Amino acid sequence: MKKILVTGGAGYIGSHTVVELVEAGYEPIIVDNFSNSEESALEGIAAIVGRNVTCHRVDCTDSKALREVFEKEQDIVGVIHFAANKAVGESVENPLKYYHNNVGSLVALLQVMEEFKVNKLVFSSSCTVYGVPESLPVTEETPVQKANSPYGNTKKICEEILTDVAASGSTLKSIALRYFNPIGAHPSAKIGELPLGVPSNLVPFITQTAIGMREQLTIFGNDYDTPDGTNIRDYVHVVDLAKAHVVAVERLLEEKGESLEFFNIGTGNGTTVLEAVKAFESATGVKLNYKIGPRRAGDVPKIYADVAKATEALGFKTTSTLEEAMKSAWDWQVSLKESTAKV
Ligand code: UD1
């Protein structure tokens, strides 16, 4: 079985991708420092795929430790690099943490990959690189803009690093997937998102409110230029997103495409915050306590993906509806409560 190193493989998108890799016949090798993930994710993965997946507790900024993993594992044919910090607000308060972890880990990883002649990489990028886009939907040709947070800037810088490496004549072949808004959980409810503290993302805040951990959801503004005044996003089921990584790996291994390619990974549909709340309510039958509050600083009024390039080149197509994604997020939240209740 072909070994794919998955950094951040115990995290939210990483754990779902590990499952899809196993189901597609690959041998994922997880590298995670568990700074923002839990070992229980490994148990969840094992319960879904029916066996343990190898995991190395390693910080990806540590080249020496990474080198040991490559030495030990041998025959790694490609890498999917998820390991990164992702809280926008925290990145504003502690930018050096973000530059060190997000940029430092990519540089360390690329150096070690070069030493071991592993030259296939899928990188986790974000639609944050488009900033406030001038026209919608955004294609991969939509200009990248100045980042509005250190977190966003790390994604932009990492894309630039990959661009420079590609231009250097290196043998590296990489694909940067620009995620829109990942939501939901595995349908088994054995893995899902585990936000630390108060979630800043919409769907975990919704599910935590619905289950009674938070009193009320505040919708950040209803005076935007959108049909109901609330922000528009492209919410993509995390399992669909995970599958995009498998087809990206396949494209790299088949030596198709340019040395560096960018793909939008979303559904192609724009959804307002109010529509997302309604979808949650209709999918779960649970009424949500929410109010309209002021705008959140730095929010992009509206963004959604043009996914034609990913559909054409990767054969990528989402299969889950927004309601299915909301239902899976809810089932996961309920299962977390049940497992805490048992302790
Ligand atoms: C945010 C980041 C983005 C990052 C992504 C990572 C900002 C401006 N953007 O995306 O760069 O890649 O997280 O996960 O922070 N909302 C509410 N109430 C809430 C929470 C959210 O109304 O309590 C609204 C937001 O205003 C937004 C939508 O829900 O319109 C989605 O918000 P969120 O889940 O935080 O994602 P983004 O802001 O799109």
Side-chain angles (χ1 to χ4, degrees):
M1 272 194 290
K2 290 178 182 150
K3 280 189 185 172
I4 307 292
L5 195 80
V6 186
T7 76
Y12 175 42
I13 307 170
S15 56
H16 290 82
T17 301
V18 165
V19 167
E20 295 307 318
L21 283 168
V22 173
E23 284 174 1
Y26 291 95
E27 170 74 56
I29 307 290
I30 298 173
V31 162
D32 207 298
N33 68 355
F34 295 95
S35 63
N36 190 19
S37 55
E38 302 281 340
E39 302 225 359
S40 57
L42 303 179
E43 291 160 26
I45 292 169
I48 297 167
V49 302
R51 66 170 176 90
N52 288 328
V53 170
T54 307
C55 175
H56 300 269
R57 182 182 277 269
V58 158
D59 185 316
C60 285
T61 60
D62 182 347
S63 324
K64 188 169 168 281
L66 268 182
R67 204 169 280 125
E68 282 165 15
V69 172
F70 277 77
E71 258 157 21
K72 185 155 186 231
E73 290 298 339
Q74 304 276 324
D75 308 329
I76 290 169
V77 296
V79 178
I80 308 180
H81 182 44
F82 291 105
N85 292 110
K86 60 175 183 184
V88 175
E90 185 194 37
S91 79
V92 175
E93 283 152 29
N94 194 352
L96 294 180
K97 173 176 173 183
Y98 278 68
Y99 289 111
H100 176 74
N101 284 342
N102 295 8
V103 180
S105 65
L106 177 67
V107 174
L109 180 66
L110 288 173
Q111 285 173 327
V112 176
M113 285 173 66
E114 196 174 75
E115 278 172 44
F116 285 83
K117 302 195 169 28
V118 176
N119 63 357
K120 309 282 185 291
L121 176 75
V122 180
F123 175 71
S124 296
S125 192
S126 164
C127 69
T128 190
V129 298
Y130 297 118
V132 178
E134 272 168 23
S135 61
L136 289 170
V138 289
T139 72
E140 291 78 359
E141 303 306 317
T142 298
V144 163
Q145 293 189 26
K146 187 179 179 302
N148 64 358
S149 72
Y151 159 77
N153 207 25
T154 64
K155 292 295 170 191
K156 199 169 159 241
I157 292 169
C158 287
E159 287 197 354
E160 286 166 356
I161 291 172
L162 294 175
T163 306
D164 290 344
V165 173
S168 73
S170 151
T171 62
L172 182 74
K173 275 181 90 72
S174 49
I175 289 180
L177 298 180
R178 291 174 173 162
Y179 311 153
F180 282 66
N181 287 54
I183 62 164
H186 195 268
S188 66
K190 295 193 188 301
I191 52 172
E193 195 168 3
L194 284 169
L196 275 185
V198 182
S200 54
N201 292 121
L202 179 65
V203 173
F205 205 101
I206 288 178
T207 57
Q208 290 195 3
T209 304
I211 212 150
M213 288 168 69
R214 314 273 159 216
E215 206 184 311
Q216 191 175 42
L217 168 77
T218 300
I219 293 180
F220 297 138
N222 68 348
D223 56 352
Y224 288 95
D225 178 21
T226 62
D228 61 27
T230 64
N231 285 166
I232 290 178
R233 294 288 182 274
D234 184 337
Y235 297 98
V236 53
H237 196 302
V238 67
V239 174
D240 281 328
L241 175 58
K243 288 182 175 155
H245 294 79
V246 178
V247 287
V249 162
E250 273 159 11
R251 181 170 176 85
L252 291 173
L253 295 179
E254 287 166 9
E255 303 280 351
K256 286 186 184 153
E258 309 291 315
S259 54
L260 169 61
E261 295 180 310
F262 300 95
F263 292 104
N264 287 340
I265 304 295
T267 62
N269 301 318
T271 301
T272 69
V273 181
L274 274 170
E275 285 166 350
V277 167
K278 297 274 170 296
F280 174 82
E281 291 184 331
S282 71
T284 62
V286 181
K287 196 103 192 75
L288 196 73
N289 180 18
Y290 70 88
K291 65 168 184 194
I292 306 294
R295 291 182 175 197
R296 177 170 70 176
D299 262 341
V300 171
K302 39 187 168 178
I303 188 163
Y304 55 96
D306 181 319
V307 290
K309 187 179 174 194
T311 307
E312 201 178 303
L314 299 174
F316 171 73
K317 216 175 171 323
T318 54
T319 56
S320 298
T321 63
L322 181 60
E323 280 75 14
E324 284 163 347
M326 290 294 185
K327 177 74 169 62
S328 68
W330 177 238
D331 290 345
W332 166 242
Q333 185 70 64
V334 170
S335 83
L336 281 178
K337 189 171 184 189
E338 283 165 358
S339 64
T340 334
K342 273 186 227 142
V343 177

